[in-house]
Amino acid sequence: MRMGFVKKLAVVVVGSMIALAGGASADDWHGSGWTATADPEVAAKTVQRMHDQLKSAYEAGDVAGVKGNVTELDGVLDALVTRTDEWATRAETRDNSVKANDLNTELAGKLAGMPDGTAKGLPGLDLLSGVTALLTSLLQTLLDLVSSLLGGLPIPVPLPPLPIPPLPVAPVAP
């Protein structure tokens, strides 16, 4: 009886691990191991996801969470800076990658001396208040990087049909 339960539990655990691993590699550059087949859309999704995670940790005042995201982001940005693909070497993409990498490195240095914690005091006086400007600049640069990875093209929005004005009525002679 107990052995049957253990087998079922093992199947559920292994199945969950496979599902999680497969899900991460399907749309995330980090999960796919930075393969040669990575493309700018996948890189943009990864940078966007990391931006969102970093912003959430910052807004929660979670120093350990910010440190973890900055560490993970370091690997992603290092890989983007060294990529030689045509899409990765476009001037705007390269500039944003280098700038984000530099900001991330500077932020990591400042975070190294901070204690982990989530103490939120008065507005503007939490543990992360000393790096707010740097972190805000990094978050904006990450959004710029996402935009440049996607080519900077606006998202197409369907336009409503334009009304056609009625034809003018010709005057009738009496």
Side-chain angles (χ1 to χ4, degrees):
M1 175 86 173
R2 199 167 77 183
M3 194 54 124
F5 174 76
V6 171
K7 286 181 183 179
K8 289 178 184 177
L9 182 63
V11 167
V12 169
V13 169
V14 170
S16 298
M17 289 172 48
I18 290 171
L20 288 173
S25 65
D27 64 350
D28 196 316
W29 230 21
H30 186 266
S32 65
W34 300 90
T35 63
T37 59
D39 60 20
E41 290 84 14
V42 175
K45 282 183 185 179
T46 302
V47 173
Q48 181 68 54
R49 176 187 57 81
M50 297 185 83
H51 166 275
D52 296 345
Q53 288 175 346
L54 182 60
K55 185 176 179 184
S56 292
Y58 169 66
E59 288 173 348
D62 180 9
V63 177
V66 170
K67 286 180 180 180
N69 283 301
V70 165
T71 301
E72 184 181 0
L73 189 57
D74 186 55
V76 172
L77 294 173
D78 282 344
L80 266 174
V81 168
T82 59
R83 294 264 323 175
T84 58
D85 302 295
E86 180 184 334
W87 56 266
T89 57
R90 288 190 310 243
E92 185 181 13
T93 302
R94 179 67 69 204
D95 291 347
N96 285 326
S97 298
V98 169
K99 181 179 177 185
N101 196 30
D102 292 346
L103 289 170
N104 193 59
T105 301
E106 184 180 349
L107 181 59
K110 291 188 180 214
L111 289 172
M114 288 185 180
D116 290 350
T118 57
K120 296 279 281 183
L122 296 172
L125 296 177
D126 60 6
L127 291 173
L128 292 168
S129 62
V131 295
T132 298
L134 182 59
L135 195 55
T136 303
S137 181
L138 174 60
L139 290 170
Q140 182 57 51
T141 304
L142 291 174
L143 290 178
D144 293 344
L145 177 57
V146 169
S147 178
S148 64
L149 283 166
L150 295 175
L153 299 175
I155 298 172
V157 177
L159 297 174
L162 298 175
I164 300 174
L167 292 173
V169 179
V172 179

